[in-house]
Amino acid sequence: MNKAQAKTLFTKYINNQCSDKEIELLEAFLESYQGKENLLNDFKTGGTQDSEKKIWEQIVTQIDTKSTKKKTFPFQSYIIYAAAASVVLFLAVTVFFQKKDTAPAIANQPIEIGTDKATLTLEDGSAIALEKGKTYNNEHLNSTGEALVYQSDNKSKIEEIAYNYLTIPRGGQFYVELSDGTKVWLNSESKLKYPVTFKKGASRDVELVYGEAYFDVSSSTNHDGASFNVNFKGQHIEVLGTEFNVKAYQDETTTFTTLVEGEIALSANNQKEILQPNQQATVSQSNENIAIKVVDVYNEISWKDGVFSFKGKTLKEIMKVISRWYDVNVVFENKALETTTFRGALGKDQSIQDIMDSIKNASIISVIEIKNKTIYIK
């Protein structure tokens, strides 16, 4: 949302015409906007200056009060917040990393920003490259090159279930809608196995072979009560209709399952736990028990809306995310810097140079060099 759109909402707010969602959108924009106290002149609506100033101060006070408290947003607000805040994040990411100015990171060749791309492996083993500008269709599916949508479940009897695989490379992401209407967002370096068509009356089973995926599951009430199951790294999730995120990368020893809405049952190592919204379950190789904690869900799922949100993450964790999206390698020449922590947000459409400069300006890092698709942190 830009200033002109925000001004329109402010005018509606003054006239008591804003819906609850529009108020949330306005507040999210202003909360993210640095120097919002200077926006009033841009937002003049023709009313009396005193009345507008009073309303403006009231809004800003409410926002500042909310910002000092720990908030748990309903899911509907996550998207609103991301849409409003990301505009500012993309334009001025250093707002979140304020510190000394230093020389920029050194790069000797351009590194491409991640984009929508994937490889679809059909039931006969043939592989189809999916990417922007290329469409693909067959009797079961349609792809615009940026999304993949399967036809609705065939009501005729299915003798044998056929499976497709969707593989997302480093530097990629993709969206797929399964034949039962379930929506899945796949992050970089991920692979999903799923039926071309689900068998009527049977459980709907998919496998996250590796990587990270966000699931918005079609309710079991639409499928004769058939549950939806996700298998990954020896773990099993059973749902009836809900939204959740699973992170299970090959090169990480811990898996993370985060529930956004509804209820899921997670089974691992002969243990079963029921998750409630805003809870995250972790299972590690060193401790196979399921550990559950309350988390800020937005920080866990913002990746699918174009934002990397880091809260208390170490530089090593952050660079692992960055390496997947930009398809680069990272070398810490100074190992002590791996545990440096950050809190902030970065736009996924920013150049690697801008992101590295922002991290460098905010930290004790003296040199970041980008060479031959490798980032050296010194």
Side-chain angles (χ1 to χ4, degrees):
M1 183 171 71
N2 56 34
K3 284 200 295 185
Q5 293 169 322
K7 178 180 177 180
T8 298
L9 291 187
F10 179 60
T11 303
K12 294 181 68 175
Y13 185 94
I14 289 176
N15 296 320
N16 199 29
Q17 296 174 340
C18 265
S19 67
D20 290 342
K21 287 189 176 181
E22 287 174 327
I23 293 174
E24 290 177 352
L25 182 57
L26 177 61
E27 289 184 349
F29 174 82
L30 296 177
E31 183 176 356
S32 304
Y33 199 92
Q34 302 300 305
K36 53 183 170 285
E37 64 278 356
N38 298 321
L39 280 175
L40 179 57
N41 288 335
D42 295 334
F43 279 21
K44 286 186 180 298
T45 64
T48 65
Q49 184 174 3
D50 288 342
S51 64
E52 288 186 0
K53 185 176 181 181
K54 185 176 180 180
I55 293 173
W56 178 263
E57 290 176 348
Q58 185 180 58
I59 294 176
V60 171
T61 299
Q62 289 173 348
I63 292 170
D64 289 342
T65 299
K66 290 181 180 180
S67 297
T68 61
K69 299 177 181 179
K70 180 176 177 62
K71 297 180 289 183
T72 301
F73 294 104
F75 177 69
Q76 290 83 353
S77 298
Y78 296 149
I79 308 303
I80 294 172
Y81 179 86
S86 59
V87 175
V88 180
L89 296 174
F90 297 163
L91 294 176
V93 67
T94 52
V95 166
F96 292 88
F97 295 103
Q98 293 175 352
K99 215 170 181 180
K100 61 181 181 180
D101 291 331
T102 60
I106 303 169
N108 72 332
Q109 69 179 87
I111 293 175
E112 294 183 358
I113 298 171
T115 188
D116 297 314
K117 57 184 175 182
T119 298
L120 171 66
T121 304
L122 301 175
E123 55 270 30
D124 63 2
S126 58
I128 309 297
L130 305 177
E131 57 188 36
K132 286 185 177 181
K134 293 184 179 180
T135 61
Y136 174 77
N137 305 287
N138 66 28
E139 60 178 322
H140 299 295
L141 60 90
N142 297 287
S143 175
T144 62
E146 299 177 41
L148 180 61
V149 179
Y150 282 78
Q151 304 298 327
S152 298
D153 280 337
N154 190 341
K155 299 303 180 181
S156 61
K157 187 175 180 180
I158 301 173
E159 296 297 334
E160 185 176 350
I161 297 178
Y163 290 91
N164 282 180
Y165 290 85
L166 192 62
T167 305
I168 318 303
R170 287 163 62 92
Q173 64 181 8
F174 219 77
Y175 166 83
V176 56
E177 184 172 323
L178 305 181
S179 63
D180 68 335
T182 292
K183 302 175 177 65
V184 187
W185 289 258
L186 289 160
N187 208 347
S188 302
E189 203 170 9
S190 301
K191 186 174 185 177
L192 183 71
K193 175 185 178 182
Y194 53 90
V196 174
T197 301
F198 292 97
K199 195 172 184 178
K200 186 176 180 181
S203 62
R204 298 167 286 156
D205 298 335
V206 303
E207 179 185 358
L208 180 61
V209 181
Y210 56 80
E212 184 170 21
Y214 184 94
F215 294 88
D216 182 353
V217 178
S218 177
S219 174
S220 62
T221 58
N222 300 326
H223 305 281
D224 300 323
S227 63
F228 189 93
N229 303 295
V230 180
N231 298 297
F232 61 100
K233 277 195 172 182
Q235 299 174 51
H236 176 83
I237 294 175
E238 181 179 356
V239 303
L240 298 178
T242 187
E243 299 183 28
F244 57 97
N245 193 84
V246 178
K247 184 179 179 183
Y249 278 103
Q250 291 178 301
D251 58 353
E252 295 185 6
T253 59
T254 302
T255 61
F256 303 86
T257 301
T258 308
L259 181 62
V260 179
E261 284 188 350
E263 183 179 282
I264 62 175
L266 174 66
S267 300
N269 305 314
N270 298 317
Q271 183 183 357
K272 185 175 183 178
E273 296 289 345
I274 305 298
L275 269 66
Q276 302 299 325
N278 302 317
Q279 288 186 335
Q280 181 181 78
T282 59
V283 178
S284 66
Q285 289 181 358
S286 59
N287 181 6
E288 295 182 346
N289 291 329
I290 300 174
I292 298 177
K293 64 179 179 180
V294 175
V295 296
D296 183 342
V297 173
Y298 176 75
N299 289 317
E300 306 299 324
I301 69 169
S302 62
W303 62 268
K304 79 180 200 46
D305 301 313
V307 178
F308 294 127
S309 182
F310 302 118
K311 184 177 181 181
K313 298 292 186 182
T314 65
L315 185 57
K316 184 177 181 179
E317 292 173 313
I318 291 171
M319 293 311 298
K320 186 163 285 189
V321 173
I322 297 301
S323 69
R324 291 183 183 125
W325 181 237
Y326 293 91
D327 189 16
V328 295
N329 298 314
V330 178
V331 175
F332 282 88
E333 294 192 358
N334 183 350
K335 295 293 184 181
L337 295 175
E338 291 183 346
T339 56
T340 302
T341 58
F342 295 88
R343 174 173 179 156
L346 302 166
K348 290 177 71 175
D349 68 348
Q350 289 183 272
S351 71
I352 189 66
Q353 186 79 54
D354 287 344
I355 285 183
M356 290 299 97
D357 287 345
S358 298
I359 291 176
K360 185 169 182 288
N361 291 340
S363 70
I364 61 174
I365 301 170
S366 58
V367 178
I368 296 179
E369 183 178 359
I370 306 172
K371 185 177 181 180
N372 298 327
K373 296 201 74 175
T374 299
I375 299 173
Y376 297 91
I377 299 177
K378 307 177 180 182

